[in-house]
Amino acid sequence: NHLTHIEDDTFYLMTNLKWLRLNNNKISQLKKNLFKDLINLEQLLLGNNMIKLIERDLFRNLFKLEYLYLEFNVIALIEGLSFFNLNNLIELHLSLNYLEIFDSNTFTGLFKLEKLYLTQNIIKKIDLDIFKNLTNLKILYIDQNLIEVIENNNFVSLKNIQTLIMSSNKIAQIQTYYLNGFLYLSKVLNLNSN
């Protein structure tokens, strides 16, 4: 498709909408009030567009959202607290973007998040508190990035992690207590091709 622009009031009073598919277009900007009336939305597909920025209040009224697909865009910045009100989000897809660093509050409020996909970005470093609120996370894909060092306690808050994929990075060093907190890492730990 060739959809490039969506006005703020496009989804005005569409309060019963459950799924919205805007993927495979050429959308480059999402206005702050675009989704404000979609209070029952459960699935939002925005993948394969030209989105560069995720603003803080963009998803503020999407309390019932469970699946958010933002993969294969050109996102370089996600403002802090952008996902704050997404209390029911289960899956977040951010792969194939230009994400390098994250605000310490990027994932704040995602208490039910089980799956996070950060594959093929340009992440070089994982800050110690980036995953602090993701206590329910079970699957984390952070492969095909530029991570060089895994520091002590990078993943300490991931108490329920079962699958961790970190393959195809540039990891040359894993510090001593890297695996602290991985009591439930029961399925997959992939560090190949580093």
Side-chain angles (χ1 to χ4, degrees):
N1 292 329
H2 300 285
L3 184 62
T4 59
H5 183 78
I6 305 173
E7 291 297 324
D8 257 355
D9 56 356
T10 301
F11 307 114
Y12 180 67
L13 295 179
M14 295 180 106
T15 56
N16 292 322
L17 194 65
K18 300 273 187 205
W19 286 19
L20 179 57
R21 296 176 181 232
L22 296 168
N23 52 318
N24 301 317
N25 282 294
K26 297 183 187 318
I27 302 166
S28 61
Q29 182 182 13
L30 300 170
K31 302 208 175 194
K32 272 191 178 183
N33 291 315
L34 182 62
F35 305 120
K36 71 175 182 191
D37 290 323
L38 302 178
I39 56 173
N40 286 304
L41 198 67
E42 295 173 359
Q43 188 176 98
L44 178 57
L45 284 78
L46 292 163
N48 198 15
N49 277 290
M50 312 271 306
I51 301 165
K52 299 173 188 154
L53 167 70
I54 302 298
E55 293 186 61
R56 182 178 177 171
D57 291 326
L58 180 64
F59 305 118
R60 72 180 174 277
N61 290 343
L62 303 183
F63 305 111
K64 293 187 179 181
L65 194 68
E66 295 178 357
Y67 302 93
L68 178 56
Y69 296 85
L70 291 162
E71 76 284 351
F72 202 59
N73 277 286
V74 291
I75 301 169
L77 178 63
I78 300 173
E79 292 182 355
L81 300 172
S82 289
F83 305 122
F84 183 70
N85 289 328
L86 301 182
N87 300 326
N88 286 304
L89 199 68
I90 296 169
E91 281 188 33
L92 177 56
H93 296 260
L94 292 166
S95 296
L96 296 153
N97 279 292
Y98 292 96
L99 295 166
E100 182 177 351
I101 57 173
F102 295 91
D103 181 277
S104 63
N105 292 313
T106 298
F107 301 116
T108 297
L110 298 179
F111 303 112
K112 290 186 179 179
L113 193 70
E114 294 180 5
K115 299 175 183 177
L116 176 58
Y117 299 91
L118 296 168
T119 298
Q120 206 167 339
N121 279 283
I122 53 174
I123 302 167
K124 294 179 183 173
K125 185 176 188 254
I126 301 170
D127 290 330
L128 290 178
D129 57 353
I130 190 66
F131 300 124
K132 68 183 174 198
N133 296 297
L134 301 181
T135 55
N136 201 44
L137 197 69
K138 293 178 175 59
I139 297 172
L140 174 59
Y141 278 78
I142 194 164
D143 54 315
Q144 298 179 52
N145 279 284
L146 303 172
I147 301 167
E148 294 179 359
V149 176
I150 300 173
E151 296 179 10
N152 295 346
N153 300 319
N154 270 145
F155 303 101
V156 73
S157 61
L158 301 181
K159 303 288 186 199
N160 290 306
I161 197 77
Q162 295 174 0
T163 301
L164 177 61
I165 308 297
M166 293 191 70
S167 59
S168 300
N169 275 287
K170 295 180 182 269
I171 300 170
Q173 179 183 358
I174 300 175
Q175 293 185 359
T176 309
Y177 298 104
Y178 150 69
L179 295 176
N180 274 5
F182 284 162
L183 301 175
Y184 299 100
L185 186 60
S186 59
K187 294 192 177 179
V188 179
L189 173 61
N190 187 341
L191 293 163
N192 75 299
S193 300
N194 275 289

